[in-house]
Amino acid sequence: MGHSVSDEHDAKELDIASHHSSRRGDEFPSVHKVRLPPRQKLITEFTSMVKETLFADDPFRPFKDQSISRKLILGLQFLFPILEWGRHYNLQKFKGDLIAGLTIASLCIPQDIGYAKLANLDPQYGLYSSFVPPLIYAFMGSSRDIAIGPVAVVSLLLGTLLQNEIDPVANPVEYRRLAFTATFFAGITQATLGFFRLGFLIDFLSHAAIVGFMGGAAITIALQQLKGFLGVENFTKKTDIVSVMRSVWGSVHHGWNWQTILIGATFLAFLLLAKYIGKKKKNLFWVAAIAPLISVILSTFFVYITHADRHGVQIVKHIKKGINPSSVDQIYFTGGYVGKGFRIGIVAGMIALTEAVAIGRTFAAMKDYQLDGNKEMVALGVMNVAGSMTSCYVATGSFSRSAVNYMAGCQTAVSNIVMSAVVCLTLELITPLFKYTPNAILSSIIISAVISLIDYEAAHLIWKIDKLDFFACIGAFFGVIFASVEIGLLISVAISFAKILLQVTRPRTAILGNLPRTAIYRNVEQYPNAKKVPGIMIVRVDSAIYFSNSNYIKERILRWLGDDEEQLKANNQSRIEYLIVEMSPVTDIDTSGIHAMEELHGSLQKRDIQLVLANPGQVVIDKLYASKFTEVIGQDKIFLTVADAVMTFSPKMRVEEV
């Protein structure tokens, strides 16, 4: 029927063999035993727990049994993965990276100018953020496919949080300094999480919450672009849909500019068509990639030759020429703005980190290679710290550019270096040509880019799988569009934590029955043909038993017991004599859990019902033994399987093997 759960040497046994009575020993074959695992020293247990929590991937394994010089080389390769894969780099790989780098550069340049406006910064700061950070990431990052630069959601979030503290129009210098300060602390947050291997913290923001947050942010970003798309000068600084639509319709008679609308609508249609073509025919992905740059070139030329700027068409006007100036002296390291920068930086850094790691994992799975999440966090953190000192704001992995990078055939992070070089040349040579670029075209580019963030299919799938997850998704979505980005983020985090608390405090429990002609016991609700055993109630607890849920589990079992007793009495059937708790899903139990089990045992004794445990795991049986609970219920009441327990205590039932 089964085998012993551990080796015999060095193991104490809880002998619960079938000679519970001489009569049963003759009638039934010997049942199996639950063995107590070898006792470990406290320091060994603690070390094992820390290793499994923080070093589950065993990052120091390559350093074992290596010379000092070899360890130094491996350490450098660990910090700078380019030193490892760079040794095998060749011309063939460079061709793929060159094409991919040029392609994503054509996409990022117009996007960066628009995203800088989302962050309420001058256009050149968007370009700065696609020059230095991608270079640093290329040396330190472990993803082959991520394209680094500003992204829409982080730009909007940063702009919203910053303008709540400083007016970007009235105090542009202080606003810019606070942006660099927030970027510095965003980088510190990311690097710290990676260095201390705390990346699991970002997983607390559930997939459903992220889907809702991104969808709401996409709509908010698109609505914000109506200012440039319609040519409205006096536009609300609020991001909620009610304020935006009131601002839009309030200026319909005197604020809209028909030339601006014509430019925006025409090129938005062109961009959406290009994206549709690229999506339908994968080999034409480059059409969607270069469409934004083509739109900028054509619209700029059109405005220049028609002098449309004299007829109310708003233009970029000026982008500062030259590469990133130093901004070390502009970061607030003292004063009242340090705390504000720190708070904003943590929020922006965590969102940027979540997006980048999700993107990296997606493409790593598609190409079947491993992505070191903690190493990614360190790389992203270092690049943002360096970026804050070189006039950049928070940069991260962009999904749209990373997708283009992947489809263009990138081989390594060298594509980021190529993109960075093109941005550098643009800053040095081409920025004056953007003078007549209409704001409407930048709005159209951003609208076409963020539409893909609204994932209807994912939301529908979430609805079908888990209604509570869908509630988290919708809560985050409506929080963003009807309140603000930070409120939406707060709602998404709150609902995610509420779900965790609900699952922890109200774990699933089930009554088990026997599947006919087997020794298998399953949930009677899931398997209607599973039959309850006369005189025995079998309950399974699908969770660890902690202080947060121990009372609920005890009360749930007693309620079931009471209901069954009433039903049995009404039908004149034999009463319940044994309660078997199937504990294989119980991964752990704390002192509160053991206390609840003791209270359950006491309540059962008053009803003349015996408590029986089946298949407790290593950690659980160790704690039950240490607390002497095994002596309270009797070591002959602990079995390896439910079938063994039933075989011992139900002489009316025989288990037939199929």
Side-chain angles (χ1 to χ4, degrees):
M1 289 174 60
H3 299 284
S4 173
V5 294
S6 67
D7 295 335
E8 293 193 13
H9 68 282
D10 296 331
K12 284 187 175 181
E13 298 183 1
L14 297 178
D15 191 354
I16 51 164
S18 62
H19 23 275
H20 179 65
S21 68
S22 58
R23 186 179 61 79
R24 285 177 181 157
D26 294 335
E27 190 175 355
F28 298 106
S30 176
V31 298
H32 299 83
K33 306 171 183 178
V34 174
R35 299 184 183 274
L36 183 69
R39 297 289 295 176
Q40 292 182 333
K41 294 181 179 179
L42 183 61
I43 187 66
T44 305
E45 291 182 358
F46 178 75
T47 303
S48 177
M49 182 188 69
V50 171
K51 180 180 178 182
E52 196 59 33
T53 303
L54 302 179
F55 303 98
D57 55 344
D58 198 6
F60 301 112
R61 181 175 53 187
F63 295 86
K64 294 177 181 177
D65 303 322
Q66 299 290 340
S67 63
I68 298 297
S69 58
R70 180 60 181 164
K71 286 181 179 179
L72 180 61
I73 293 172
L74 290 173
L76 289 173
Q77 289 179 354
F78 183 81
L79 289 174
F80 304 100
I82 194 172
L83 298 177
E84 182 178 359
W85 57 258
R87 291 180 296 145
H88 310 290
Y89 199 71
N90 54 43
L91 183 60
Q92 186 64 32
K93 290 182 178 180
F94 178 70
K95 289 179 181 177
D97 288 333
L98 178 63
I99 294 172
L102 292 173
T103 307
I104 58 176
S106 67
L107 176 62
C108 86
I109 292 170
Q111 282 187 348
D112 290 348
I113 296 172
Y115 291 160
K117 286 185 172 292
L118 272 179
N120 300 314
L121 293 167
D122 293 333
Q124 65 267 20
Y125 293 101
L127 295 172
Y128 292 161
S129 302
S130 280
F131 174 42
V132 172
L135 281 178
I136 296 173
Y137 181 84
F139 283 85
M140 299 188 67
S142 58
S143 173
R144 306 172 193 170
D145 304 281
I146 286 183
I148 296 296
V151 297
V153 173
V154 177
S155 299
L156 175 67
L157 177 64
L158 195 65
T160 303
L161 295 175
L162 290 173
Q163 75 177 6
N164 289 340
E165 305 296 339
I166 300 176
D167 189 334
V169 177
N171 301 292
V173 175
E174 287 80 1
Y175 180 89
R176 188 165 58 246
R177 292 187 65 184
L178 187 58
F180 297 149
T181 304
T183 302
F184 174 80
F185 284 113
I188 292 294
T189 300
Q190 294 168 337
T192 301
L193 289 175
F195 181 79
F196 290 104
R197 307 185 68 80
L198 300 174
F200 60 86
L201 292 177
I202 65 173
D203 293 331
F204 279 99
L205 195 60
S206 69
H207 171 69
I210 292 173
V211 169
F213 175 77
M214 289 295 187
I219 291 178
T220 300
I221 291 167
L223 290 173
Q224 288 290 304
Q225 300 317 301
L226 292 177
K227 176 183 179 181
F229 192 86
L230 302 174
V232 179
E233 293 187 9
N234 298 318
F235 202 77
T236 180
K237 293 182 180 180
K238 297 180 180 179
T239 60
D240 64 281
I241 188 171
V242 175
S243 298
V244 170
M245 296 313 298
R246 185 182 291 121
S247 182
V248 168
W249 293 114
S251 58
V252 64
H253 296 297
H254 57 274
W256 293 17
N257 182 275
W258 71 266
Q259 295 98 328
T260 300
I261 297 173
L262 179 63
I263 294 171
T266 301
F267 283 100
L268 178 59
F270 169 68
L271 290 166
L272 294 177
L273 177 62
K275 181 174 283 191
Y276 176 79
I277 293 171
K279 189 175 182 180
K280 283 293 182 182
K281 297 185 177 181
K282 299 298 183 183
N283 60 326
L284 295 178
F285 69 90
W286 54 270
V287 174
I290 66 171
L293 188 59
I294 291 174
S295 300
V296 168
I297 294 171
L298 292 178
S299 62
T300 302
F301 179 71
F302 173 77
V303 170
Y304 177 74
I305 63 173
T306 61
H307 301 291
D309 56 307
R310 300 178 184 175
H311 300 281
V313 175
Q314 298 174 15
I315 58 176
V316 173
K317 292 182 181 178
H318 177 69
I319 300 180
K320 188 176 180 181
K321 187 177 179 181
I323 60 174
N324 305 34
S326 173
S327 56
V328 176
D329 58 337
Q330 296 188 49
I331 299 174
Y332 289 112
F333 291 109
T334 58
Y337 285 122
V338 175
K340 296 176 181 179
F342 178 74
R343 177 177 56 81
I344 296 171
I346 288 178
V347 176
M350 292 291 281
I351 293 298
L353 202 56
T354 302
E355 186 169 356
V357 172
I359 293 168
R361 287 173 178 170
T362 299
F363 289 104
M366 292 169 68
K367 285 191 174 180
D368 194 25
Y369 66 89
Q370 294 298 316
L371 187 76
D372 189 327
N374 290 294
K375 192 183 296 184
E376 284 293 286
M377 294 175 197
V378 172
L380 292 165
V382 171
M383 82 176 190
N384 276 314
V385 169
S388 69
M389 299 178 181
T390 52
S391 300
C392 305
Y393 73 94
V394 181
T396 187
S398 164
F399 187 83
S400 59
R401 273 173 267 172
S402 298
V404 169
N405 196 31
Y406 171 80
M407 290 186 288
C410 72
Q411 300 295 314
T412 67
V414 170
S415 60
N416 274 292
I417 298 176
V418 174
M419 178 191 72
S420 182
V422 174
V423 172
C424 176
L425 292 174
T426 301
L427 285 165
E428 287 286 8
L429 305 173
I430 307 176
T431 49
L433 300 180
F434 289 108
K435 178 180 179 181
Y436 290 97
T437 300
N439 289 338
I441 199 64
L442 300 177
S443 298
S444 299
I445 290 170
I446 293 175
I447 291 172
S448 67
V450 300
I451 284 176
S452 59
L453 295 177
I454 306 173
D455 198 339
Y456 303 101
E457 293 180 359
H460 183 245
L461 184 61
I462 291 168
W463 165 258
K464 291 197 298 184
I465 294 174
D466 192 318
K467 301 300 186 288
L468 195 59
D469 262 356
F470 184 76
F471 180 66
C473 177
I474 291 299
F477 177 80
F478 285 118
V480 172
I481 65 173
F482 283 105
S484 63
V485 177
E486 60 267 35
I487 293 297
L489 180 61
L490 183 63
I491 290 174
S492 63
V493 172
I495 293 177
S496 296
F497 270 100
K499 182 185 177 184
I500 293 172
L501 290 174
L502 184 62
Q503 291 175 335
V504 169
T505 58
R506 296 294 183 267
R508 295 185 183 278
T509 51
I511 295 178
L512 306 186
N514 175 249
L515 295 178
R517 298 183 301 280
T518 72
I520 300 172
Y521 292 80
R522 291 293 183 266
N523 188 343
V524 294
E525 291 186 0
Q526 184 179 0
Y527 297 89
N529 60 329
K531 304 299 182 183
K532 294 182 180 179
V533 182
I536 298 177
M537 171 176 278
I538 308 168
V539 176
R540 187 183 68 220
V541 179
D542 295 334
S543 165
I545 304 177
Y546 290 137
F547 66 93
S548 57
N549 61 24
S550 57
N551 281 329
Y552 168 78
I553 292 172
K554 178 194 70 175
E555 292 168 2
R556 171 77 270 190
I557 292 173
L558 291 174
R559 282 199 303 272
W560 264 334
L561 196 61
D563 293 342
D564 261 32
E565 285 179 330
E566 288 180 7
Q567 188 175 359
L568 292 172
K569 187 176 181 180
N571 296 330
N572 295 318
Q573 294 177 315
S574 59
R575 70 178 198 82
I576 294 173
E577 298 182 32
Y578 298 95
L579 172 69
I580 300 175
V581 181
E582 156 69 295
M583 301 192 73
S584 55
V586 180
T587 56
D588 199 358
I589 188 169
D590 65 4
T591 52
S592 297
I594 293 173
H595 183 65
M597 295 296 288
E598 290 173 345
E599 290 181 343
L600 175 63
H601 177 253
S603 298
L604 293 176
Q605 278 188 320
K606 294 175 182 177
R607 304 184 187 196
D608 196 20
I609 298 174
Q610 297 188 48
L611 176 63
V612 180
L613 305 182
N615 197 18
Q618 174 180 334
V619 174
V620 174
I621 191 62
D622 192 29
K623 292 184 177 181
L624 292 179
Y625 184 85
S627 67
K628 301 188 186 309
F629 182 69
T630 54
E631 297 178 11
V632 172
I633 66 170
Q635 294 182 355
D636 60 337
K637 299 296 191 305
I638 304 176
F639 293 80
L640 180 61
T641 66
V642 172
D644 286 348
V646 172
M647 187 185 302
T648 301
F649 297 116
S650 180
K652 296 179 182 180
M653 179 179 179
R654 292 181 179 273
V655 180
E656 300 176 10
E657 294 187 4
V658 180

